Amino acid sequence: MNDHPLSESDLHRHFGRRGRDLPGRVLLPPGDDMAMLGIGSTDRLLVAADQVVIGRHVRVDEAPAAIGRKAVLRNLSDVAAMAARPIAILATATLSPDRDQRWAEALHAGLHETGLAFDAPLIGGDLATHARPETPDVISVTILARPGGEDGRVVTRHGAAAGDLLAVTGRLGGSLTEDGRGRHLDFPPRIEEAIALNALLRQDLVAMMDVSDGVARDAARLATTDGVGVRLDADRIPRNPGCDWRSAIGDGEDYELLIACRREPPGEIDGVPVTVIGRFESTPGTSGRVLIDADGESIDVAGLGWEHAGDPTDRTG
Amino acid sequence: MNDHPLSESDLHRHFGRRGRDLPGRVLLPPGDDMAMLGIGSTDRLLVAADQVVIGRHVRVDEAPAAIGRKAVLRNLSDVAAMAARPIAILATATLSPDRDQRWAEALHAGLHETGLAFDAPLIGGDLATHARPETPDVISVTILARPGGEDGRVVTRHGAAAGDLLAVTGRLGGSLTEDGRGRHLDFPPRIEEAIALNALLRQDLVAMMDVSDGVARDAARLATTDGVGVRLDADRIPRNPGCDWRSAIGDGEDYELLIACRREPPGEIDGVPVTVIGRFESTPGTSGRVLIDADGESIDVAGLGWEHAGDPTDRTG
């Protein structure tokens, strides 16, 4: 049966091809941090869905409220990436039948309270159990949002050109190490910072996404223009304590904003540092690649990013 | 750990209590077939999420395209229950790592093509794999909809009063039996019929839902007014071939419309029969109960409905 094993990236390419020719109300098709729909005559709705698989994205023995919280925060980070503002969430959960009532209520509290804290009430969903005991739980969260600014503008991943700056909020690396273990479970989604940057930079804020798989991998996702690649400067990467530049751009699960902009961004926004870490360029051989200038060398870091097939729980200790 | 075992109904009660005091944009809170949000100044958005757990809701060896199709159809039936019209879907899937690429692509085709056929394009989602082989797949689908009529009216589960008629579309029973095996996987969601009934009956169409757990159980969910219960007439239940009245109101997975109305509905709509099967009443001892007049007796049928804790796959073969 398994003559063609599952590959998430192959499947995403396949789904992308099938996601064309959608009705005109689909203003942004699948492929960005969120899709956008035209609702009625003027309103625009952003929507995304993401899941937390126990044993894959969090440890099996993690606290249920922390799992619920992470499931919502990941989606809120997608909202931030579009410079949008959340309005509601829905959640479905499939639990092992040997979970108890208290565990399920704590999971619900994590979803409900995290949503409310960001003005995104939990308004629906479904609960089911697996047919067999000891089958890992799956939590799926859908989030609805609206453009965050007065002008209705949202920021996609597309449009970065040679000469544009690449910047990042906060500090990177170590979210899954022993010391930084809690960070991938509880982080501040950069919603207000993204809306403020969008209001300040306007058309000069060209493209944006959130860093989930590490800058080394995610930066390539902003290099969507033909012939354009990214050059990072190792000395400028803002690092969490104990992280060298490799782990800072490779660890993933940072949930910071990765920004392509046409002019210098402010050095901080609402107290959160904004650091220029590189530049888009179109020189021979750089198209779609991410290079870093480090120790006098130019190193291709495509292999450093977070592998979707990997298991973060392997790396937590 | 399992001193208080999982009970879906206990949990739903718990979640219901916590779903109060939501922001004003939540026009219909959790608890109906869909929640409703106010978007912008005038637009109204309906949203619901549901899941298909392989091994619980469908057989493990079921065709992947049929699983995807059922996951979308279940949500479309919720849209019909509100007299709404779908606009888009999102889907997340957690697959066993020993599924192959072809299986995943066929699942996606089932989701994508069923959505498109009902003008509800698949606009986003997520794909992940379980950490362990042979862990059953979970498919979660979120659906977005808008009121189906010009006047923006949707139909909730609430408001049925003593004297209102109870009617149902189509025929009931046998969806999971050997003969009717395919019916729970592929059924026509009653979207156009619901919109037509809403346009025709207007305020006299008091409440509505879709039949997923069997009329015996679901009818009690329309008896939300204090002191009101339901009396069914066994001779009037429209049955699928081979079904007696017990299986017709108890089998579940019919996905027909269950309607409370203040005047006689049309006998059919778009070629689909609409049958009055009972009446809401408030006589001593009937509050919140479902009784059926059969064989000269008045029988309480609360226990006949589909049990959430049951496994339909046990009943298919």
Side-chain angles (χ1 to χ4, degrees), chain B residues 285-301:
Chain B
T286 60
S287 176
R289 295 169 73 194
V290 179
L291 303 170
I292 191 165
D293 291 330
D295 311 323
E297 283 185 281
S298 175
I299 305 165
D300 187 327
V301 290

Side-chain angles (χ1 to χ4, degrees), chain A residues 1 43 56 100 119 129, chain B residues 1 25 43 56 100 129 142:
Chain A
M1 171 114 177
D43 288 313
R56 272 295 305 275
D100 71 1
D119 200 26
T129 50
Chain B
M1 171 116 176
R25 81 176 79 96
D43 288 313
R56 273 292 308 272
D100 70 1
T129 50
T142 297

Side-chain angles (χ1 to χ4, degrees), chain B residues 108-188:
Chain B
H108 179 270
L111 296 162
H112 174 79
E113 282 159 22
T114 308
L116 274 188
F118 291 90
D119 201 25
L122 178 61
I123 58 167
D126 185 60
L127 177 79
T129 50
H130 284 291
R132 289 195 320 230
E134 291 183 38
T135 307
D137 319 272
V138 176
I139 323 296
S140 174
V141 175
T142 297
I143 195 156
L144 308 176
R146 301 186 65 194
E150 300 278 311
D151 60 357
R153 191 175 109 90
V154 297
V155 186
T156 72
R157 294 183 177 188
H158 301 285
D164 288 350
L165 302 172
L166 183 74
V168 70
T169 57
R171 298 180 180 284
L172 304 174
S175 69
L176 297 166
T177 60
E178 200 61 38
D179 280 354
R181 205 197 123 206
R183 205 176 301 130
H184 78 109
L185 289 169
D186 193 3
F187 50 86

